[in-house]
Amino acid sequence: MNTNAVITRIRNRLGPLGWGTLLVFFAYRLGDVAAVAAKVVLGRWLPDEDFGAIEPIFSVLAVMCVPITILFQASVKSISRLQEKAQTDEMTGLLRDLIKITCVGSVVSVATLFLFRRLILLGLHLPDELWIVTLIAGLFALAWWNPLMMAVLQGKQRYHMVGMFVGFGPFLVLALTIMFVGMMNMGLTGSLLARVVGSACWVGIVMALMSSSFRGRRGDYRAELIVLRGTLLPMSVFILFQTILMHCDRLFVRQYMISDSGGYGAIVTLGQIPLWLISPMIFVLFPLVSAGHVGGRDIRYLLRQAMIFGLVIGGTCILVLFFSSCLLFRLWKQSFVPYAGYVWIYTLVMVLHALTEVIARVELARNRYAF
C-alpha cells in the first residue's frame, strides 16, 4: 500500500475535524518545543526581574490588540464562508481591504506606543530606553500582520502552511535568542529583538507564498459584509472578556508583586500547556463549523468531539502537572521551586478557558449569539 493511500485512509477515518486538528497539533507542538526551549534559555540567562517582564509585555500587547483580534477572527468566519460558496473574487476583495486596514492600523499602533510610552514602560517597570521602545514598537506593528496571515490561512484551511508558520517560526526565534542573549549577552533587549526579527521573517515568507490570494480579480462582497458586521459585536464581547480573564493577573503581578513576577512567569509557562494542546483543535473547529453551517450540514458531532477531546487532554494535564511541577521547577531553576504548588491551579484555569472557547467558537460560527 502506497503512502498516499495510507494518508487518505487516515484522513477519512479521522474526519475533517480530526485530520485538521492532527496537522495543526503537530505543527503547534513542534513550535512549542522551540518556544519552551527559548523560555528555559531566558529563565536561566536573564535575571528573574527581566524574565518576569516578558509575559507582561505580551499581555499588554494582547490587551491593546483586542480590536485587531476581533476584526481578524470575524474575518476568518467570512473567509471560510466565501470559500465554501466558491466566491473567489469576493474573497479577494475582502483580503485586499484587510491588508489596507492592517497597514493603517500598524502605523497607528506604533504612534500610540510612542505617545504613551512612559505610562506603558512605567507599568512594566522597564527603563525608557530607545532600544526597548523601538523593539516593543516592532511587536506592536507585527501584532497586526501576524493575525492577518493566520486569519487567511485559518479561513482557507491551509493547514500545511499553518504548520510552516507556527511549527518552524519558533525555531528561528530560538536560534536568534541563543545568539542575541546567550552569545552576545544583550539581555532583555536581545530577547525582544529575537522575537521581532523572527516574526517579521515568517510574516514575509507567508505573504510571499499567499500572494496569489491577494492579486486576483476584486469582487463585491457587500452581502458577506452584512454577516461580518453582525459577527463583530458578539465577537467583541467574547474576545474582550476572554482577554481580560487571560491577562489581567499577569499585569497585576508585574505591577504590584514585581519580586514574584519571575516565579509567576514560570507558573504561566507550565500552566499554559493544556491550552497549547487544545488550541489546535479550536483553530480547526471554527472555520470548519462556519463552512458546515453555511453549507447546511449537521455540525453537532463536531461540538461533541471537541468537548470530549478538551476534557480528556485537560484532565490529564492537571494530574501530570500536579505531581511533576516541583521536579520540573527544580530542574529548571531553584528559585522557581517555591511556586510549584500553584501550577495545577493555573492549569485548571487554562482548561476552563479552552472549554469555554470551544463552546463560544461553535456558537459564533452558527450565528447564535445568546451565549
Side-chain angles (χ1 to χ4, degrees):
M1 185 178 294
N2 60 42
T3 304
N4 290 336
V6 172
I7 292 175
T8 301
R9 285 186 60 184
I10 295 173
R11 185 171 185 171
N12 293 337
R13 184 69 179 269
L14 292 175
L17 177 61
W19 175 251
T21 299
L22 185 66
L23 294 179
V24 177
F25 175 83
F26 280 113
Y28 269 94
R29 298 300 66 79
L30 186 64
D32 288 341
V33 169
V36 171
K39 291 290 289 291
V40 170
V41 165
L42 292 174
R44 283 184 171 273
W45 288 344
L46 292 180
D48 281 6
E49 290 189 3
D50 283 350
F51 179 70
I54 294 173
E55 289 291 345
I57 288 172
F58 289 100
S59 291
V60 167
L61 197 61
V63 171
M64 296 190 69
C65 292
V66 166
I68 307 170
T69 308
I70 293 167
L71 173 63
F72 289 127
Q73 281 301 295
S75 300
V76 168
K77 177 179 175 180
S78 290
I79 293 169
S80 61
R81 284 168 53 87
L82 291 171
Q83 177 160 284
E84 175 71 17
K85 294 186 288 186
Q87 295 180 337
T88 307
D89 295 346
E90 290 81 355
M91 187 191 302
T92 300
L94 173 60
L95 295 180
R96 285 186 181 177
D97 287 345
L98 289 176
I99 286 183
K100 293 176 183 177
I101 293 171
T102 301
C103 290
V104 174
S106 57
V107 172
V108 171
S109 293
V110 170
T112 302
L113 170 66
F114 277 95
L115 185 63
F116 296 102
R117 68 181 186 279
R118 294 187 184 278
L119 179 63
I120 294 172
L121 294 174
L122 180 65
L124 292 171
H125 297 279
L126 292 172
D128 188 1
E129 297 176 356
L130 180 61
W131 260 109
I132 295 289
V133 177
T134 302
L135 292 172
I136 295 178
L139 293 173
F140 271 52
L142 288 167
W144 283 86
W145 291 97
N146 275 299
L148 172 63
M149 293 299 100
M150 291 302 290
V152 175
L153 297 179
Q154 184 181 6
K156 294 173 74 66
Q157 301 181 37
R158 300 288 181 85
Y159 301 130
H160 60 291
M161 295 189 67
V162 171
M164 183 184 67
F165 192 59
V166 303
F168 294 101
F171 281 93
L172 177 58
V173 175
L174 172 61
L176 293 170
T177 299
I178 293 172
M179 182 174 69
F180 293 145
V181 181
M183 299 171 63
M184 299 176 65
N185 198 28
M186 293 177 65
L188 180 61
T189 301
S191 68
L192 295 176
L193 180 61
R195 187 68 67 97
V196 170
V197 174
S199 296
C201 287
W202 283 105
V203 167
I205 291 171
V206 175
M207 276 285 290
L209 292 175
M210 294 294 293
S211 60
S212 60
S213 298
F214 306 103
R215 288 203 311 260
R217 189 174 62 181
R218 180 188 179 93
D220 186 350
Y221 61 94
R222 277 180 292 184
E224 184 59 34
L225 192 59
I226 296 173
V227 177
L228 179 59
R229 288 171 178 167
T231 306
L232 284 176
L233 179 58
M235 184 70 80
S236 300
V237 174
F238 168 62
I239 289 180
L240 176 62
F241 284 100
Q242 181 195 45
T243 303
I244 291 172
L245 287 169
M246 180 71 77
H247 295 284
C248 67
D249 54 315
R250 305 179 196 183
L251 297 175
F252 179 88
V253 170
R254 185 62 183 180
Q255 178 69 37
Y256 300 106
M257 303 167 64
I258 187 170
S259 62
D260 289 319
S261 62
Y264 197 78
I267 292 171
V268 170
T269 299
L270 285 188
Q272 284 186 137
I273 289 175
L275 203 58
W276 293 345
L277 296 175
I278 299 171
S279 59
M281 182 265 296
I282 298 172
F283 183 91
V284 175
L285 182 68
F286 185 47
L288 198 59
V289 174
S290 297
H293 177 70
V294 76
R297 296 187 292 274
D298 183 13
I299 49 82
R300 288 175 295 181
Y301 76 97
L302 294 174
L303 176 59
R304 288 195 298 268
Q305 288 180 355
M307 290 298 291
I308 292 170
F309 179 85
L311 287 168
V312 171
I313 294 296
T316 302
C317 287
I318 292 170
L319 287 173
V320 169
L321 291 174
F322 180 83
F323 291 106
S324 66
S325 57
C326 186
L327 174 61
L328 293 172
F329 276 2
R330 190 174 292 113
L331 293 172
W332 186 3
K333 194 173 186 178
Q334 194 63 34
S335 62
F336 294 158
V337 173
Y339 301 91
Y342 300 104
V343 172
W344 77 269
I345 300 173
Y346 196 88
T347 306
L348 174 61
V349 173
M350 292 299 101
V351 173
L352 295 175
H353 271 300
L355 296 177
T356 301
E357 187 160 357
V358 167
I359 298 170
R361 296 288 177 178
V362 170
E363 293 297 276
L364 287 166
R366 298 166 63 196
N367 300 331
R368 293 163 59 97
Y369 306 133
F371 78 95

